[in-house]
């Protein structure tokens, strides 16, 4: 891989690990506020992000390079309510989408065809990531942050189980 692409791939490993860390921090906060189902959803989201990081990590190794790990930034630890927190999830996912798109553009510029092909999975995954969070925000706004509607949403998000997205689709 060209040095510029390798550097960006290593940075993306860090960005995905930060996502994992951020969602784990959100899970801890949600749990402390009594939203057990949302905490479950966020813990699983955190695991998904770790799996994303590992997909980049494995690809770097497959291309005969050694992944380089950087320091992970400290995530925030409190939010002004559940809607605010999910809006931050959405904003974060938009940032990640921009990073993936930049990486893809770089791979095209550097004529790294294998890497461009590899990144397509993430381009599709980001569409799903953003859509899922938008749907949750819409549901919560409709239900209101407190009351029976919110209780039902929390119950629904408690049902989520971890399925490694990197092993279920190509
Ligand atoms: Fe890795 O997709 Fe979210 O951040």
């Amino acid at each position: 891989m060209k040095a510029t692409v390798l550097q960006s791939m290593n940075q993306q490993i860090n960005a995905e690990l930060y996502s994992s860390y951020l969602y784990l921090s959100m899970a801890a906060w949600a749990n402390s506020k009594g939203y057990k189902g949302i905490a479950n959803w966020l813990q699983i989201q955190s695991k998904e992000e770790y799996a994303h990081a590992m997909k980049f990590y494995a690809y770097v190794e497959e291309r005969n390079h050694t992944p380089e790990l950087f320091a992970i930034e400290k995530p925030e630890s409190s939010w002004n309510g559940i809607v605010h927190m999910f809006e931050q999830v959405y904003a974060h996912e938009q940032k990640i989408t921009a990073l993936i798109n930049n990486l893809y553009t770089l791979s095209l510029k550097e004529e790294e065809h294998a890497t461009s092909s590899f990144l397509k999975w993430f381009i599709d995954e980001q569409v799903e990531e953003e859509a899922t969070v938008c749907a949750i925000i819409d549901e919560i706004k409709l239900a209101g942050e407190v009351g029976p509607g919110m209780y039902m949403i929390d119950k629904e998000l408690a049902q989520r189980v971890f399925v490694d997205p990197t092993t279920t689709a190509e």
Side-chain angles (χ1 to χ4, degrees), residues 1-2 22 41 73 102 118 124 162 168:
M1 256 191 292
K2 302 240 171 75
L22 174 65
W41 189 92
E73 197 188 319
N102 290 344
F118 167 80
D124 295 341
F162 179 64
T168 51

Side-chain angles (χ1 to χ4, degrees), residues 44 47-48 51 160-168:
I44 289 167
K47 286 182 188 166
E48 273 204 9
R160 187 181 186 192
V161 290
F162 179 64
V163 178
D164 187 338
T166 66
T167 59
T168 51

Side-chain angles (χ1 to χ4, degrees), residues 12 15-16 19-20 23 45 48-49 52-53 92-93 96 100 122 125-126 129:
Q12 194 61 33
E16 301 289 347
S19 301
S20 178
Y23 298 153
Q45 196 62 23
E48 273 204 9
E49 298 300 350
H52 288 169
H92 182 68
E93 285 306 322
I96 296 293
I100 302 271
F122 281 95
E125 175 76 355
Q126 282 310 118
E129 293 275 89

Side-chain angles (χ1 to χ4, degrees), residues 36-107:
K36 307 283 179 207
I38 289 173
N40 171 66
W41 189 92
L42 286 160
Q43 276 203 25
I44 289 167
Q45 196 62 23
S46 173
K47 286 182 188 166
E48 273 204 9
E49 298 300 350
Y50 179 75
H52 288 169
M54 290 309 292
K55 191 173 172 82
F56 278 102
Y57 178 102
Y59 178 76
V60 169
E61 283 196 331
E62 209 178 345
R63 297 295 305 278
N64 210 22
H65 294 284
T66 305
E68 190 180 349
L69 301 179
F70 307 122
I72 303 170
E73 197 188 319
K74 185 184 191 301
E76 280 180 40
S77 55
S78 71
W79 291 268
N80 303 322
I82 288 294
V83 169
H84 176 242
M85 188 205 71
F86 272 109
E87 281 172 346
Q88 294 299 302
V89 174
Y90 183 60
H92 182 68
E93 285 306 322
Q94 286 182 309
K95 272 192 222 158
I96 296 293
T97 300
L99 289 177
I100 302 271
N101 288 341
N102 290 344
L103 241 178
Y104 185 72
T105 303
L106 178 68
S107 71

